[in-house]
Amino acid sequence: MSTEQLGPAVGERLRRWRMVLGGEQGADGTGCALTARDAAMDGALSALYGGSGGRGSSKERGAGLGASVPSVARWLGDIRTYFPSSVVQVMQRDAIDRLGLSALLLEPEMLEAVEADVHLVGTLLSLNKAMPETTRETARAVVRKVVDDLEKRLATRTKATLTGALDRSARISRPRHRDIDWDRTIRANLKNYLPEYGTVVPDRLVGYGRAAQSVKKDVVLCIDQSGSMAASVVYASVFGAVLASMRSISTRLVVFDTAVVDLTDQLDDPVDVLFGTQLGGGTDINRALAYCQSQITRPADTVVVLISDLYEGGIRDEMLKRVAAMKASGVQFVALLALSDEGAPAYDHEHAAALSALGAPAFACTPDLFPTIMAAAIEKRALPIPDTL
């Protein structure tokens, strides 16, 4: 029986199964023959995920994708033709992981063909030192496109959320008329409501401080640049640049592995920050926190954000003592296991539990949630910890 006789719904289901099963010339028992476009899509999938052995076979995986720039560039063009952007990004990532194509990203022709996303930026940053000069400008252009897109997506909400938090944290009890927070003033004086006049007579005014006139909070972003934290490094660098553009926040950005590098002077351009990182290597959280602690001059007005999977290669007990000391001095300490959209991360559960026991719970955070987390830290409220781990 033909797929036409079975009806469009059943025919489409068989077509999808045929695409999943793969195969060469036969229809793999589905009775469904592929159109020319479907055959081209099947070829693109088979080139990455396997040949006649089926999609799950590892024996011929990648048989149709030669490891040369022209063939890979053609394949990248094919998948962008046949699949939506989100699927293309997944397939690119799989091609780099499964077929070891990282070296080809050092070719300008290859970079011009790829679909740019956060994961590609992370791969490029890991190849930074091996990158020839002929490729560097193309790589910077790819990274800048991703960074610009992220800034457009994240900057407005971040500034609005944190500006409100800064204003609320700077409330004063004798505000000027233009600085009165009328909503909170009315709520604070409801007991003084006079029904005969239909009004509230306030005996206490609640107002905002003029946060924009001076620095109200110091924020230190302390970022683990080990290889597993690539996406977090990208997002944290963008947020660092956004925070640095706010006059009422003094922002410091520190990256670390076994060494510590302060990239604060490059915060006006997150692309420079990213190319100043060195993904991979070991981890010494204690050393990084020691440096951050040495830069704190106003502990009661400081928020330290540690972004790390907590796999510590340094002195664990000293790290915990340092966190405890910062918190005791008045520092708001936030520990993020990841700053990305990748789901639940791998992390050191023992160290996370130890931080939690100190009153510094460690949790993963998406980029969309980060402004809300920072607002809570600035206002010294309980952190809205997502229930994801």
Side-chain angles (χ1 to χ4, degrees):
M1 184 178 292
S2 69
T3 55
E4 290 80 5
Q5 292 174 306
L6 292 171
V10 175
E12 175 62 15
R13 191 177 301 119
L14 287 175
R15 169 186 169 272
R16 289 176 177 271
W17 270 111
R18 170 64 180 82
M19 297 291 287
V20 170
L21 292 170
E24 297 296 336
Q25 302 300 321
D28 284 343
T30 63
C32 178
L34 297 179
T35 65
R37 180 180 176 82
D38 286 345
M41 292 174 65
D42 187 65
L45 290 166
S46 294
L48 175 58
Y49 297 112
S52 59
R55 298 276 183 256
S57 172
S58 61
K59 292 182 179 179
E60 299 187 32
R61 184 173 290 164
L65 186 58
S68 67
V69 172
S71 62
V72 175
R74 283 194 298 272
W75 178 77
L76 287 168
D78 287 344
I79 65 174
R80 292 173 75 172
T81 299
Y82 300 129
F83 302 101
S85 177
S86 58
V87 175
V88 169
Q89 292 171 4
V90 172
M91 293 179 72
Q92 284 179 172
R93 207 177 313 152
D94 286 348
I96 292 169
D97 293 341
R98 287 168 172 258
L99 307 181
L101 299 182
S102 296
L104 294 184
L105 292 176
L106 301 180
E107 300 288 344
E109 179 184 348
M110 176 75 164
L111 280 180
E112 290 169 358
V114 295
E115 186 86 14
D117 68 346
V118 169
H119 303 284
L120 178 65
V121 170
T123 301
L124 289 176
L125 296 178
S126 68
L127 298 171
N128 187 16
K129 287 204 167 183
M131 195 174 291
E133 286 301 320
T134 54
T135 307
R136 194 168 295 277
E137 285 307 309
T138 306
R140 285 186 70 91
V142 170
V143 172
R144 186 167 295 284
K145 178 181 183 302
V146 174
V147 166
D148 287 348
D149 288 346
L150 288 177
E151 279 196 290
K152 289 176 184 176
R153 170 188 149 195
L154 301 171
T156 300
R157 179 168 177 267
T158 300
K159 289 181 178 181
T161 301
L162 297 191
T163 297
L166 288 162
D167 285 345
R168 287 188 294 273
S169 70
R171 282 198 187 93
I172 54 179
S173 59
R174 299 180 62 186
R176 300 176 184 177
H177 184 271
R178 62 183 174 180
D179 293 330
I180 295 174
D181 181 345
W182 287 108
D183 286 341
R184 295 183 71 90
T185 294
I186 291 171
R187 286 199 296 270
N189 291 276
L190 286 176
K191 65 180 184 297
N192 299 323
Y193 177 67
L194 301 178
E196 62 270 28
Y197 294 104
T199 190
V200 171
V201 178
D203 59 14
R204 182 170 69 88
L205 299 178
V206 180
Y208 297 126
R210 300 180 63 78
Q213 291 184 352
S214 62
V215 172
K216 294 296 180 183
K217 292 290 179 180
D218 297 336
V219 173
V220 181
L221 300 178
C222 185
I223 309 167
D224 183 345
Q225 61 177 350
S226 58
S228 60
M229 301 296 294
S232 297
V233 171
V234 176
Y235 281 116
S237 298
V238 172
F239 276 118
V242 172
L243 295 178
S245 70
M246 300 177 66
R247 289 180 298 171
S248 49
I249 296 178
S250 174
T251 306
R252 183 173 294 277
L253 189 142
V254 176
V255 298
F256 68 93
D257 43 35
T258 53
V260 180
V261 181
D262 192 327
L263 297 176
T264 302
D265 60 350
Q266 298 179 39
L267 273 175
D268 58 333
D269 188 345
V271 176
D272 286 342
V273 171
L274 288 171
F275 276 93
T277 64
Q278 181 180 335
L279 292 178
T283 307
D284 192 338
I285 302 172
N286 178 56
R287 174 177 291 186
L289 292 180
Y291 175 79
C292 294
Q293 189 177 24
S294 71
Q295 303 301 306
I296 295 172
T297 57
R298 305 188 307 154
D301 293 312
T302 299
V303 179
V304 174
V305 183
L306 171 65
I307 304 173
S308 173
D309 54 18
L310 302 180
Y311 288 111
E312 170 66 317
I315 306 172
R316 174 185 183 274
D317 290 342
E318 288 299 314
M319 175 191 77
L320 296 175
K321 287 179 182 178
R322 211 169 291 283
V323 173
M326 281 191 277
K327 285 185 63 63
S329 69
V331 170
Q332 295 296 107
F333 190 91
V334 180
L336 300 181
L337 302 170
L339 177 56
S340 72
D341 289 310
E342 295 180 322
Y347 64 98
D348 189 306
H349 290 256
E350 184 179 348
H351 287 164
L355 285 176
S356 182
L358 294 174
F363 55 95
C365 173
T366 64
D368 288 337
L369 183 61
F370 184 75
T372 305
I373 297 291
M374 290 300 298
I378 285 172
E379 294 183 68
K380 299 185 177 181
R381 293 186 283 108
L383 301 180
I385 300 172
D387 185 20
T388 56
L389 297 179

